[in-house]
PDB file of all heavy atoms in Angstrom:
ATOM      1  N   GLY A   1     106.405  81.488 102.455  1.00  0.00           N
ATOM      2  CA  GLY A   1     105.052  81.701 102.974  1.00  0.00           C
ATOM      3  C   GLY A   1     105.089  82.227 104.388  1.00  0.00           C
ATOM      4  O   GLY A   1     105.098  81.461 105.348  1.00  0.00           O
ATOM      5  N   GLY A   2     105.152  83.529 104.510  1.00  0.00           N
ATOM      6  CA  GLY A   2     105.181  84.151 105.837  1.00  0.00           C
ATOM      7  C   GLY A   2     106.410  83.753 106.633  1.00  0.00           C
ATOM      8  O   GLY A   2     106.365  83.628 107.846  1.00  0.00           O
ATOM      9  N   TYR A   3     107.510  83.573 105.960  1.00  0.00           N
ATOM     10  CA  TYR A   3     108.789  83.199 106.572  1.00  0.00           C
ATOM     11  C   TYR A   3     108.707  81.889 107.343  1.00  0.00           C
ATOM     12  O   TYR A   3     109.388  81.689 108.333  1.00  0.00           O
ATOM     13  CB  TYR A   3     109.328  84.338 107.431  1.00  0.00           C
ATOM     14  CG  TYR A   3     109.623  85.552 106.588  1.00  0.00           C
ATOM     15  CD1 TYR A   3     108.684  86.578 106.470  1.00  0.00           C
ATOM     16  CD2 TYR A   3     110.796  85.653 105.863  1.00  0.00           C
ATOM     17  CE1 TYR A   3     108.928  87.676 105.654  1.00  0.00           C
ATOM     18  CE2 TYR A   3     111.056  86.742 105.054  1.00  0.00           C
ATOM     19  CZ  TYR A   3     110.122  87.750 104.958  1.00  0.00           C
ATOM     20  OH  TYR A   3     110.368  88.829 104.150  1.00  0.00           O
ATOM     21  N   SER A   4     107.871  80.977 106.837  1.00  0.00           N
ATOM     22  CA  SER A   4     107.724  79.661 107.467  1.00  0.00           C
ATOM     23  C   SER A   4     108.774  78.671 106.973  1.00  0.00           C
ATOM     24  O   SER A   4     108.915  77.591 107.541  1.00  0.00           O
ATOM     25  CB  SER A   4     106.332  79.098 107.174  1.00  0.00           C
ATOM     26  OG  SER A   4     106.204  78.810 105.783  1.00  0.00           O
ATOM     27  N   GLY A   5     109.478  79.023 105.896  1.00  0.00           N
ATOM     28  CA  GLY A   5     110.484  78.140 105.338  1.00  0.00           C
ATOM     29  C   GLY A   5     109.928  77.087 104.405  1.00  0.00           C
ATOM     30  O   GLY A   5     110.636  76.211 103.948  1.00  0.00           O
ATOM     31  N   LYS A   6     108.639  77.199 104.092  1.00  0.00           N
ATOM     32  CA  LYS A   6     108.005  76.187 103.229  1.00  0.00           C
ATOM     33  C   LYS A   6     108.191  76.547 101.758  1.00  0.00           C
ATOM     34  O   LYS A   6     109.219  77.071 101.400  1.00  0.00           O
ATOM     35  CB  LYS A   6     106.549  76.027 103.628  1.00  0.00           C
ATOM     36  CG  LYS A   6     106.465  75.518 105.066  1.00  0.00           C
ATOM     37  CD  LYS A   6     105.128  75.064 105.472  1.00  0.00           C
ATOM     38  CE  LYS A   6     105.330  74.440 106.848  1.00  0.00           C
ATOM     39  NZ  LYS A   6     104.294  74.434 107.707  1.00  0.00           N
ATOM     40  N   ASN A   7     107.227  76.254 100.886  1.00  0.00           N
ATOM     41  CA  ASN A   7     107.394  76.449  99.438  1.00  0.00           C
ATOM     42  C   ASN A   7     108.000  77.805  99.105  1.00  0.00           C
ATOM     43  O   ASN A   7     107.547  78.832  99.585  1.00  0.00           O
ATOM     44  CB  ASN A   7     106.063  76.320  98.709  1.00  0.00           C
ATOM     45  CG  ASN A   7     105.624  74.893  98.518  1.00  0.00           C
ATOM     46  OD1 ASN A   7     106.418  73.972  98.640  1.00  0.00           O
ATOM     47  ND2 ASN A   7     104.367  74.696  98.214  1.00  0.00           N
ATOM     48  N   CYS A   8     108.989  77.768  98.239  1.00  0.00           N
ATOM     49  CA  CYS A   8     109.709  78.960  97.801  1.00  0.00           C
ATOM     50  C   CYS A   8     108.733  80.026  97.305  1.00  0.00           C
ATOM     51  O   CYS A   8     107.843  79.753  96.500  1.00  0.00           O
ATOM     52  CB  CYS A   8     110.678  78.564  96.697  1.00  0.00           C
ATOM     53  SG  CYS A   8     111.483  79.940  95.871  1.00  0.00           S
ATOM     54  N   GLY A   9     108.914  81.258  97.765  1.00  0.00           N
ATOM     55  CA  GLY A   9     108.060  82.359  97.360  1.00  0.00           C
ATOM     56  C   GLY A   9     108.213  82.732  95.902  1.00  0.00           C
ATOM     57  O   GLY A   9     107.265  83.189  95.271  1.00  0.00           O
ATOM     58  N   ALA A  10     109.406  82.530  95.327  1.00  0.00           N
ATOM     59  CA  ALA A  10     109.586  82.789  93.898  1.00  0.00           C
ATOM     60  C   ALA A  10     108.720  81.822  93.093  1.00  0.00           C
ATOM     61  O   ALA A  10     108.088  82.206  92.110  1.00  0.00           O
ATOM     62  CB  ALA A  10     111.053  82.647  93.505  1.00  0.00           C
ATOM     63  N   PHE A  11     108.680  80.573  93.539  1.00  0.00           N
ATOM     64  CA  PHE A  11     107.871  79.551  92.882  1.00  0.00           C
ATOM     65  C   PHE A  11     106.382  79.859  93.014  1.00  0.00           C
ATOM     66  O   PHE A  11     105.657  79.900  92.017  1.00  0.00           O
ATOM     67  CB  PHE A  11     108.197  78.182  93.472  1.00  0.00           C
ATOM     68  CG  PHE A  11     107.260  77.088  93.054  1.00  0.00           C
ATOM     69  CD1 PHE A  11     107.141  76.727  91.727  1.00  0.00           C
ATOM     70  CD2 PHE A  11     106.518  76.412  93.990  1.00  0.00           C
ATOM     71  CE1 PHE A  11     106.288  75.704  91.339  1.00  0.00           C
ATOM     72  CE2 PHE A  11     105.666  75.394  93.624  1.00  0.00           C
ATOM     73  CZ  PHE A  11     105.544  75.034  92.294  1.00  0.00           C
ATOM     74  N   THR A  12     105.909  80.094  94.227  1.00  0.00           N
ATOM     75  CA  THR A  12     104.478  80.367  94.403  1.00  0.00           C
ATOM     76  C   THR A  12     104.087  81.678  93.738  1.00  0.00           C
ATOM     77  O   THR A  12     102.992  81.803  93.201  1.00  0.00           O
ATOM     78  CB  THR A  12     104.083  80.347  95.887  1.00  0.00           C
ATOM     79  OG1 THR A  12     104.936  81.221  96.640  1.00  0.00           O
ATOM     80  CG2 THR A  12     104.185  78.946  96.473  1.00  0.00           C
ATOM     81  N   GLY A  13     104.997  82.648  93.722  1.00  0.00           N
ATOM     82  CA  GLY A  13     104.743  83.888  92.997  1.00  0.00           C
ATOM     83  C   GLY A  13     104.612  83.642  91.510  1.00  0.00           C
ATOM     84  O   GLY A  13     103.768  84.228  90.837  1.00  0.00           O
ATOM     85  N   GLY A  14     105.455  82.753  90.978  1.00  0.00           N
ATOM     86  CA  GLY A  14     105.370  82.383  89.567  1.00  0.00           C
ATOM     87  C   GLY A  14     104.048  81.712  89.242  1.00  0.00           C
ATOM     88  O   GLY A  14     103.449  81.960  88.195  1.00  0.00           O
ATOM     89  N   LEU A  15     103.580  80.858  90.157  1.00  0.00           N
ATOM     90  CA  LEU A  15     102.267  80.230  89.968  1.00  0.00           C
ATOM     91  C   LEU A  15     101.164  81.279  89.955  1.00  0.00           C
ATOM     92  O   LEU A  15     100.239  81.200  89.137  1.00  0.00           O
ATOM     93  CB  LEU A  15     101.999  79.203  91.071  1.00  0.00           C
ATOM     94  CG  LEU A  15     102.840  77.936  91.034  1.00  0.00           C
ATOM     95  CD1 LEU A  15     102.609  77.112  92.288  1.00  0.00           C
ATOM     96  CD2 LEU A  15     102.544  77.120  89.789  1.00  0.00           C
ATOM     97  N   CYS A  16     101.269  82.257  90.831  1.00  0.00           N
ATOM     98  CA  CYS A  16     100.270  83.338  90.862  1.00  0.00           C
ATOM     99  C   CYS A  16     100.303  84.138  89.561  1.00  0.00           C
ATOM    100  O   CYS A  16      99.257  84.440  88.987  1.00  0.00           O
ATOM    101  CB  CYS A  16     100.526  84.262  92.048  1.00  0.00           C
ATOM    102  SG  CYS A  16     100.201  83.536  93.664  1.00  0.00           S
ATOM    103  N   LEU A  17     101.501  84.469  89.096  1.00  0.00           N
ATOM    104  CA  LEU A  17     101.639  85.229  87.852  1.00  0.00           C
ATOM    105  C   LEU A  17     101.056  84.456  86.682  1.00  0.00           C
ATOM    106  O   LEU A  17     100.269  85.005  85.899  1.00  0.00           O
ATOM    107  CB  LEU A  17     103.114  85.554  87.602  1.00  0.00           C
ATOM    108  CG  LEU A  17     103.436  86.288  86.303  1.00  0.00           C
ATOM    109  CD1 LEU A  17     102.732  87.638  86.240  1.00  0.00           C
ATOM    110  CD2 LEU A  17     104.944  86.445  86.167  1.00  0.00           C
ATOM    111  N   LEU A  18     101.413  83.207  86.574  1.00  0.00           N
ATOM    112  CA  LEU A  18     100.892  82.388  85.484  1.00  0.00           C
ATOM    113  C   LEU A  18      99.375  82.269  85.577  1.00  0.00           C
ATOM    114  O   LEU A  18      98.667  82.369  84.574  1.00  0.00           O
ATOM    115  CB  LEU A  18     101.550  81.009  85.513  1.00  0.00           C
ATOM    116  CG  LEU A  18     101.276  80.078  84.353  1.00  0.00           C
ATOM    117  CD1 LEU A  18     101.604  80.726  83.014  1.00  0.00           C
ATOM    118  CD2 LEU A  18     102.072  78.793  84.526  1.00  0.00           C
ATOM    119  N   SER A  19      98.860  82.106  86.768  1.00  0.00           N
ATOM    120  CA  SER A  19      97.408  81.980  86.962  1.00  0.00           C
ATOM    121  C   SER A  19      96.655  83.237  86.569  1.00  0.00           C
ATOM    122  O   SER A  19      95.498  83.165  86.152  1.00  0.00           O
ATOM    123  CB  SER A  19      97.104  81.633  88.419  1.00  0.00           C
ATOM    124  OG  SER A  19      97.597  80.353  88.724  1.00  0.00           O
ATOM    125  N   MET A  20      97.308  84.391  86.681  1.00  0.00           N
ATOM    126  CA  MET A  20      96.661  85.635  86.241  1.00  0.00           C
ATOM    127  C   MET A  20      96.345  85.594  84.755  1.00  0.00           C
ATOM    128  O   MET A  20      95.394  86.211  84.302  1.00  0.00           O
ATOM    129  CB  MET A  20      97.571  86.840  86.516  1.00  0.00           C
ATOM    130  CG  MET A  20      97.614  87.264  87.951  1.00  0.00           C
ATOM    131  SD  MET A  20      98.759  88.647  88.233  1.00  0.00           S
ATOM    132  CE  MET A  20      98.323  89.796  86.942  1.00  0.00           C
ATOM    133  N   TYR A  21      97.140  84.868  83.993  1.00  0.00           N
ATOM    134  CA  TYR A  21      96.975  84.816  82.552  1.00  0.00           C
ATOM    135  C   TYR A  21      96.154  83.635  82.078  1.00  0.00           C
ATOM    136  O   TYR A  21      95.602  83.682  80.993  1.00  0.00           O
ATOM    137  CB  TYR A  21      98.347  84.823  81.865  1.00  0.00           C
ATOM    138  CG  TYR A  21      99.001  86.163  81.987  1.00  0.00           C
ATOM    139  CD1 TYR A  21      99.756  86.492  83.106  1.00  0.00           C
ATOM    140  CD2 TYR A  21      98.823  87.130  81.005  1.00  0.00           C
ATOM    141  CE1 TYR A  21     100.332  87.740  83.240  1.00  0.00           C
ATOM    142  CE2 TYR A  21      99.388  88.381  81.128  1.00  0.00           C
ATOM    143  CZ  TYR A  21     100.137  88.678  82.254  1.00  0.00           C
ATOM    144  OH  TYR A  21     100.690  89.916  82.379  1.00  0.00           O
ATOM    145  N   VAL A  22      96.096  82.565  82.859  1.00  0.00           N
ATOM    146  CA  VAL A  22      95.398  81.368  82.376  1.00  0.00           C
ATOM    147  C   VAL A  22      94.097  81.094  83.114  1.00  0.00           C
ATOM    148  O   VAL A  22      93.291  80.294  82.660  1.00  0.00           O
ATOM    149  CB  VAL A  22      96.301  80.109  82.434  1.00  0.00           C
ATOM    150  CG1 VAL A  22      97.553  80.325  81.607  1.00  0.00           C
ATOM    151  CG2 VAL A  22      96.647  79.704  83.846  1.00  0.00           C
ATOM    152  N   GLY A  23      93.882  81.749  84.240  1.00  0.00           N
ATOM    153  CA  GLY A  23      92.667  81.518  85.010  1.00  0.00           C
ATOM    154  C   GLY A  23      91.544  82.449  84.594  1.00  0.00           C
ATOM    155  O   GLY A  23      91.666  83.233  83.655  1.00  0.00           O
ATOM    156  N   ARG A  24      90.460  82.333  85.298  1.00  0.00           N
ATOM    157  CA  ARG A  24      89.304  83.196  85.040  1.00  0.00           C
ATOM    158  C   ARG A  24      89.329  84.369  86.008  1.00  0.00           C
ATOM    159  O   ARG A  24      89.599  84.210  87.182  1.00  0.00           O
ATOM    160  CB  ARG A  24      88.009  82.427  85.260  1.00  0.00           C
ATOM    161  CG  ARG A  24      87.831  81.298  84.308  1.00  0.00           C
ATOM    162  CD  ARG A  24      86.587  80.487  84.480  1.00  0.00           C
ATOM    163  NE  ARG A  24      85.860  80.701  85.700  1.00  0.00           N
ATOM    164  CZ  ARG A  24      84.675  80.184  85.947  1.00  0.00           C
ATOM    165  NH1 ARG A  24      84.096  79.434  85.053  1.00  0.00           N
ATOM    166  NH2 ARG A  24      84.065  80.399  87.078  1.00  0.00           N
TER     167      ARG A  24
END
C-alpha cells in the first residue's frame, strides 16, 4: 500500500479482482 510495508499488494489486488466478480 504505497510502499508502506503493510498488507501485501498481491493479496489486496486479489481481493480487488475477486470483488470485481462478486460485488455489485
Side-chain angles (χ1 to χ4, degrees):
Y3 297 96
S4 67
K6 297 192 173 153
N7 282 343
C8 172
F11 170 62
T12 53
L15 290 172
C16 291
L17 177 60
L18 188 54
S19 294
M20 284 178 48
Y21 289 86
V22 302
R24 296 179 347 172

